[in-house]
Amino acid sequence: MTMTEKKNILVFRPLPEDQLARLQAAHHVTEADPRKEPEAFAVALRTAHGLIGSSHTVDAALLDAAPQLQVISSVSVGVDNYPLAELHKRGIVLCHTPDVLTETVADTVFAILMATQRRVVELSNLVREGRWTRNIGEELFGTDVHGKTLGILGFGRIGQAVARRAALGFGMPVLYHSRRAVDLAAQAPELQGRATHTPLDDLLARADIVLAMLPLTDATRGMIDAAFFARMKPGASFINGGRGATVNEDALLHALDHGTLRAAGLDVFAKEPLPAESPLRTHPRVTPLPHIGSATHETRHAMAELATTNLLQVLAGEKPTAPYDTAAA
């Protein structure tokens, strides 16, 4: 980073100590979590040149309260908490953290897929709760994963990483649906002949397991609805590792209870944390996890390190390592 005058940074979610120290060595830093310290956060916004954190909704009103803001560095890959068009209009740079979490999230997604098919959590609880008193019968059998057809909605970095695990590790034919076909020869040569770009209706009719890895946009919000589940292959399972609000949760429950959906594995929900009254929390054929996709020590530190680097680069007048193109919103 080139030498520059010290600016004001507002850290709105805790950072690892070594990354916080990097910021403090270069600039004036204020730590204020808007959930716990709303007044301190509001005061620091007035003079902030840079924001860094995650899991807080930024809107036009917040931007109005930060007239000196130059950059937001999100410790996340998703950007649905940010008003992209407003940021572009105001010339505020948005950065995020792709790549460093790809393999970890793919690990998590495949773990949910495995747990859902083999009823791992349900049967583990059988042992924990002292209900394993005899060999299990067919009513508790799971379903094979190897050789089954996997349909993936959204075929970016993480979707491709899951496809590698499925096709190369478990001999699973992979169908994927995205706005355009991926150039596998250039992006994922190992998936050539193993992953096929497929129309949505065809994918839903053929896949034994449907995995959603979709970003949250106006087009995807609620798109996984009753009609979607009705088009799925009878007895198929549904996994969501993308964004919770892409799914109509009432329709999902109806498909489990009154349709032919066999099971669901969910790492994301429309409202998080999942409300205690949600039927998804205790449904016998739902494997719910608390949004742990990137939640490992190594990956969360790598995300914080990249976000810190992005922020320092922008404030130094340099091009950040991982900018998000707000003009494309």
Side-chain angles (χ1 to χ4, degrees), residues 139-208:
E139 73 280 1
L140 292 177
F141 285 0
T143 301
D144 282 337
V145 174
H146 64 272
K148 293 297 175 69
T149 298
L150 174 63
I152 304 178
L153 309 182
F155 208 58
R157 297 177 185 89
I158 299 171
Q160 292 172 34
V162 175
R164 287 197 297 273
R165 287 157 175 76
L168 305 179
F170 288 78
M172 303 174 75
V174 175
L175 311 175
Y176 73 91
H177 179 73
S178 58
R179 286 181 294 178
R180 58 186 66 87
V182 173
D183 183 355
L184 294 179
Q187 296 188 35
E190 67 278 13
L191 291 176
Q192 291 184 98
R194 294 185 171 93
T196 305
H197 188 239
T198 308
L200 180 59
D201 284 351
D202 191 23
L203 181 152
L204 296 179
R206 294 167 56 191
D208 299 297

Side-chain angles (χ1 to χ4, degrees), residues 298-321:
E298 301 93 333
T299 294
R300 288 293 174 88
H301 189 276
M303 292 168 67
E305 184 175 6
L306 176 54
T308 299
T309 296
N310 283 331
L311 184 63
L312 290 174
Q313 287 170 329
V314 175
L315 292 180
E318 301 170 3
K319 182 179 179 179
T321 300

Side-chain angles (χ1 to χ4, degrees), residues 80-322:
D80 42 282
N81 278 325
Y82 304 99
L84 304 182
E86 276 293 321
L87 293 174
H88 180 66
K89 183 174 71 174
R90 298 171 189 237
I92 298 171
V93 178
L94 176 64
C95 302
H96 64 151
T97 59
D99 298 326
V100 294
L101 50 67
T102 297
E103 298 300 331
T104 297
V105 175
D107 285 348
T108 303
V109 168
F110 210 82
I112 299 171
L113 186 156
M114 291 285 292
T116 300
Q117 293 299 100
R118 295 304 304 269
R119 303 170 71 169
V120 169
V121 175
E122 178 186 359
L123 296 179
S124 177
N125 286 336
L126 188 78
V127 179
R128 287 177 177 271
E129 296 164 7
R131 295 183 287 115
W132 184 36
T133 58
R134 60 181 178 83
N135 289 340
I136 67 169
E138 290 188 8
E139 73 280 1
L140 292 177
F141 285 0
T143 301
D144 282 337
V145 174
H146 64 272
K148 293 297 175 69
T149 298
L150 174 63
I152 304 178
L153 309 182
F155 208 58
R157 297 177 185 89
I158 299 171
Q160 292 172 34
V162 175
R164 287 197 297 273
R165 287 157 175 76
L168 305 179
F170 288 78
M172 303 174 75
V174 175
L175 311 175
Y176 73 91
H177 179 73
S178 58
R179 286 181 294 178
R180 58 186 66 87
V182 173
D183 183 355
L184 294 179
Q187 296 188 35
E190 67 278 13
L191 291 176
Q192 291 184 98
R194 294 185 171 93
T196 305
H197 188 239
T198 308
L200 180 59
D201 284 351
D202 191 23
L203 181 152
L204 296 179
R206 294 167 56 191
D208 299 297
I209 304 163
V210 174
L211 165 64
M213 291 304 307
L214 298 168
L216 183 61
T217 66
D218 290 341
T220 64
R221 186 180 298 274
M223 70 166 280
I224 300 172
D225 56 11
F228 179 100
F229 290 117
R231 286 178 285 167
M232 285 179 61
K233 180 179 180 179
S237 298
F238 173 74
I239 312 295
N240 192 8
R243 286 292 182 264
T246 61
V247 177
N248 181 316
E249 292 177 349
D250 288 339
L252 171 59
L253 286 162
H254 189 273
L256 287 166
D257 292 334
H258 305 288
T260 62
L261 190 66
R262 193 187 74 80
L266 309 170
D267 189 38
V268 290
F269 302 89
K271 183 177 181 181
E272 297 179 358
L274 186 65
E277 66 273 14
S278 171
L280 293 171
R281 187 175 62 86
T282 56
H283 196 287
R285 287 187 287 125
V286 173
T287 301
L289 292 178
H291 203 152
I292 64 167
S294 63
T296 67
H297 294 292
E298 301 93 333
T299 294
R300 288 293 174 88
H301 189 276
M303 292 168 67
E305 184 175 6
L306 176 54
T308 299
T309 296
N310 283 331
L311 184 63
L312 290 174
Q313 287 170 329
V314 175
L315 292 180
E318 301 170 3
K319 182 179 179 179
T321 300

